[in-house]
Amino acid sequence: MATVVHLVRSLAAPLTRTRLFRVLAPSVLPPIERVLHRLSGGRVQLSALLVPSLVLHSTGAKSGLPRESALMYTPDGRGRAIVAGTSFARERHPAWTHNLLAHPEADIVVRGRRLHVRATLIGPESRDAAWHRIEAVWPGYRAYERDSGRVVRLFLLRPVSPSEL
């Protein structure tokens, strides 16, 4: 299985850097992910074939309602995850980043396992190290930041026990 995932990722990586992918993916991938989620009971994610993926369960910044976002993540080597608000290089920050800024306590589901997390915005002093770690998994990913014309919000998701929330 690891060989299949590696093959898919190596074939998909150049495509994700194209303008066509950045235009089509935001409207095509989410509905496909929702259908797969429903059909598999949350066990299958298309994006997980391409990159390590998780589902973020956050609270809406303005509405206070539950929100769900499928995201790429990068393990930081210490049991935590780094997520980047690239939004396919669009000019605006994705809504889930506003949600985490307003309500940093959230849940994530990784390979079927649900964890409580606290999100911390990664500051300027740690950004290059975080990007280095991200690009070790997905080379060229920082180009989304350059192409968006904005500083992409990077978050560290740290698992916490429910008593810490």
Side-chain angles (χ1 to χ4, degrees):
M1 182 63 171
T3 305
V4 171
V5 170
H6 179 70
L7 178 63
V8 169
R9 288 179 183 174
S10 63
L11 293 173
L15 298 175
T16 64
R17 295 186 199 109
T18 66
R19 180 161 291 170
L20 181 62
F21 178 85
R22 292 179 187 175
V23 169
L24 293 178
S27 57
V28 172
L29 291 180
I32 293 171
E33 288 284 13
R34 282 192 293 275
V35 168
L36 282 175
H37 182 80
R38 264 183 254 146
L39 292 175
S40 70
R43 292 182 305 276
V44 176
Q45 280 182 269
L46 174 64
S47 56
L49 285 174
L50 303 175
V51 293
S53 299
L54 58 80
V55 176
L56 173 69
H57 296 269
S58 60
T59 302
K62 292 180 182 177
S63 69
L65 296 173
R67 300 292 183 216
E68 187 175 289
S69 304
L71 304 174
M72 174 196 144
Y73 80 96
T74 303
D76 82 337
R78 297 184 183 109
R80 302 174 301 193
I82 300 168
V83 290
T86 57
S87 192
F88 298 99
R90 289 186 272 189
E91 292 178 7
R92 300 178 79 176
H93 294 289
W96 65 263
T97 66
H98 296 284
N99 297 345
L100 288 181
L101 289 171
H103 305 283
E105 290 78 25
D107 286 343
I108 59 172
V109 177
V110 181
R111 294 183 301 274
R113 185 172 165 220
R114 191 174 189 110
L115 300 166
H116 297 293
V117 296
R118 179 168 291 122
T120 307
L121 186 64
I122 295 175
E125 67 287 346
S126 303
R127 286 181 59 76
D128 284 338
W131 275 118
H132 178 74
R133 198 172 267 291
I134 291 167
E135 288 197 305
V137 174
W138 199 246
Y141 196 63
R142 195 169 190 177
Y144 281 119
E145 180 174 61
R146 288 188 294 275
D147 294 347
S148 72
R150 62 182 167 82
V151 175
V152 165
R153 293 174 178 157
L154 301 177
F155 290 89
L156 182 65
L157 305 178
R158 181 178 57 88
V160 294
S161 68
S163 63
E164 292 181 78
L165 291 175

